[in-house]
Amino acid sequence: MSSSVIDFIATEARFGARNYEPIGVVLSRGEGVWVWDTDGNRYLDCLSAYSAVSQGHCHPKILAAMVEQAHRLTLTSRAFHNDQLALFYEEIAALTGSHKVLPMNSGAEAVESAIKSVRKWGYEVKGVPDGQAEIIVCADNFHGRTLAIVGFSTDAETRAHFGPFAPGFKIIPFGDAAALEEAITPNTVAFLVEPIQGEAGVVIPPAGYFAKVRQLCTANNMMLVLDEIQTGLGRTGKLLAEQHEGIEADVTLLGKALSGGFYPVSAVLSNNDVLGTLRPGQHGSTFGGNPLACAVARTAMRVLVEEGMIENAARQGARFLEGLKAIRANTIREVRGRGLMLAVELHPEAGRARRYCEALQGKGILAKDTHGQTIRIAPPLVITSDQVDWALERLATTLTQDLS
Ligand SMILES: *Cc1c(COP(=O)(O)O)cnc(C)c1O
């Protein structure tokens, strides 16, 4: 390790809140699927900043749009109109088939905004008695880190000593439509769920689950809110993961790749009157919908489609999954994934996934463990067949080692 690496890591540890435990690599440059550390070592990025850099690091067209807009106008606040917001609305609505859009910044803000909006819809449209609205969520969910959201997490570390929490949430098992049916009451306003649970370890629900969920939400006049902050925008090989299920959400949440990793941009999309209940002064964000964010997001969406990244995610994801399944290693318990949202779950006896991620770092691959036993693999959607094969070779050598 060079002295500069020790210095960056030690200085972070000295001054920073220790709310992360990064792999010991200090990155200073990125291009496409590759990132370089301060010593000039190159790595294939198999995390993509939790799917935010789906378009690849420093995509030249998004970069150009950002620089051009930064020279002209960055922030007006929503107190005034700007000449980018309308175009962003038009383009994201056309891309996703949505009618209404609420622009925010982080993913957690989009989730919070959806919670506020479906509650308001519940009181003003559905007729739920004031203060009684219920939202159903799933065990092992990940929707962000704000107080309302961590209040309905089932992960002890996420919640411990952050309470008291907001009431009005009911937790049911993921992938269990009967549990949803049982949990619904006349005061239920929404079911908030990830199409595939990402942070839980890329958990794919049983076939037919979402068709039944859609049916229950419609029958009970409640909103199906799909958190596609990680699964959306091509990650699973379709624009939205809901398309694999043949359903349409009432409210869709996007973030992460909406900016291609340049800037925090998120959005709440609705295809009915949920967002229509918000009136001036009732919700807002200083940076939400700013011209810089809009210009970046417009280009991030455009390159995703124009450069065939969604089709590539389907093609390379299938190749990657097949390659992972072909690895014969005693360490592997299960391999799963859809598109380029992949995971290798290790046997408990194999040792912790973090050890394997550190071994992969030594072979030029950056991946991140989740929940102890799972290595997730989510490279930028611009990955080529040769790069997939290159990664598979290294994964095979690493996973056949015993690091317990
Ligand atoms: C990352 C993520 C969020 C939170 O997004 P932030 O930008 O970190 O606030 C919410 N939901 C899902 C499914 C995510 O993967």
Side-chain angles (χ1 to χ4, degrees):
M1 246 192 275
S2 79
S3 59
S4 66
V5 171
I6 292 164
D7 196 44
F8 284 121
I9 294 175
T11 306
E12 273 192 25
R14 195 157 62 247
F15 293 105
R18 301 286 295 270
N19 57 328
Y20 279 90
E21 193 182 12
I23 301 269
V25 62
V26 180
L27 301 174
S28 57
R29 191 161 75 82
E31 189 185 324
V33 298
W34 303 106
V35 286
W36 285 263
D37 69 15
T38 45
D39 293 328
N41 299 307
R42 188 184 75 160
Y43 305 90
L44 182 73
D45 183 357
C46 281
L47 181 65
S48 306
Y50 301 93
S51 294
V53 279
S54 284
Q55 294 87 338
H57 287 276
C58 299
H59 190 291
K61 286 185 182 156
I62 310 175
L63 173 65
M66 185 171 194
V67 170
E68 195 271 331
Q69 185 62 43
H71 278 290
R72 282 204 299 125
L73 184 67
T74 56
L75 182 62
T76 56
S77 85
R78 298 284 305 280
F80 311 110
H81 295 279
N82 70 66
D83 68 359
Q84 290 295 308
L85 183 58
L87 301 171
F88 168 69
Y89 282 166
E90 210 166 53
E91 289 165 18
I92 197 171
L95 182 69
T96 59
S98 310
H99 299 152
K100 286 237 172 268
V101 186
L102 173 69
M104 299 297 286
N105 312 286
S106 68
E109 281 177 300
V111 175
E112 287 274 343
S113 304
I115 292 168
K116 289 173 73 175
S117 304
V118 294
R119 282 181 170 178
K120 204 156 192 298
W121 170 86
Y123 299 128
E124 294 177 8
V125 180
K126 182 168 177 171
V128 171
D130 194 30
Q132 302 295 306
E134 292 168 0
I135 295 172
I136 301 171
V137 299
C138 285
D140 300 322
N141 69 71
F142 184 84
H143 297 290
R145 297 293 194 168
T146 61
L147 267 178
I149 295 170
V150 300
F152 57 76
S153 170
T154 56
D155 180 53
E157 255 193 331
T158 299
R159 284 171 57 90
H161 292 177
F162 292 125
F165 299 116
F169 299 96
K170 221 183 240 184
I171 301 167
I172 61 167
F174 181 65
D176 183 346
L180 175 63
E181 188 162 17
E182 217 161 284
I184 296 168
T185 76
N187 292 339
T188 306
V189 295
F191 179 42
L192 166 64
V193 63
E194 300 155 83
I196 294 172
Q197 289 190 321
E199 297 313 295
V202 187
V203 180
I204 301 171
Y209 171 63
F210 273 104
K212 185 75 182 126
V213 164
R214 177 65 274 179
Q215 215 179 341
L216 286 168
C217 289
T218 305
N220 291 282
N221 189 27
M222 52 188 269
M223 295 296 121
L224 173 56
V225 183
L226 284 185
D227 180 345
E228 296 237 25
I229 290 167
Q230 191 164 146
T231 55
L233 298 169
R235 175 52 57 188
T236 68
K238 294 202 186 281
L239 177 75
L240 298 173
E242 68 173 20
Q243 294 171 294
H244 292 287
E245 314 288 347
I247 60 154
E248 272 186 46
D250 299 297
V251 179
T252 300
L253 310 179
L254 294 179
K256 294 201 166 115
L258 189 50
S259 70
F262 278 82
Y263 193 91
V265 186
S266 66
V268 180
L269 308 171
S270 78
N271 60 2
N272 54 45
D273 47 5
V274 170
L275 288 175
T277 61
L278 294 177
R279 298 258 90 70
Q282 296 175 346
H283 188 60
S285 160
T286 302
F287 278 82
N290 75 70
L292 186 60
C294 290
V296 166
R298 291 178 62 208
T299 310
M301 290 188 285
R302 188 159 59 77
V303 299
L304 202 65
V305 174
E306 279 183 6
E307 298 179 15
M309 293 182 196
I310 303 169
E311 296 77 12
N312 192 58
R315 197 165 48 242
Q316 302 303 344
R319 185 185 188 92
F320 217 137
L321 186 62
E322 196 183 322
L324 286 171
K325 283 186 169 159
I327 298 173
R328 292 279 150 258
N330 296 330
T331 53
I332 300 177
R333 181 173 179 190
E334 191 184 45
V335 168
R336 49 182 180 263
R338 193 166 276 168
L340 283 169
M341 189 169 180
L342 301 152
V344 177
E345 186 179 331
L346 304 175
H347 278 294
E349 317 83 69
R352 298 184 63 76
R354 185 173 174 105
R355 299 285 305 277
Y356 291 85
C357 290
E358 285 162 354
L360 284 168
Q361 181 201 339
K363 294 193 166 65
I365 292 181
L366 292 183
K368 177 72 174 71
D369 56 295
T370 178
H371 286 261
Q373 292 313 122
T374 304
I375 306 167
R376 85 176 100 201
I377 299 167
L381 309 186
V382 297
I383 195 167
T384 64
S385 305
D386 286 350
Q387 291 163 344
V388 168
D389 296 346
W390 184 92
L392 282 168
E393 234 173 83
R394 280 149 187 84
L395 279 156
T397 353
T398 308
L399 291 167
T400 43
Q401 284 175 289
D402 183 358
L403 299 178
S404 63

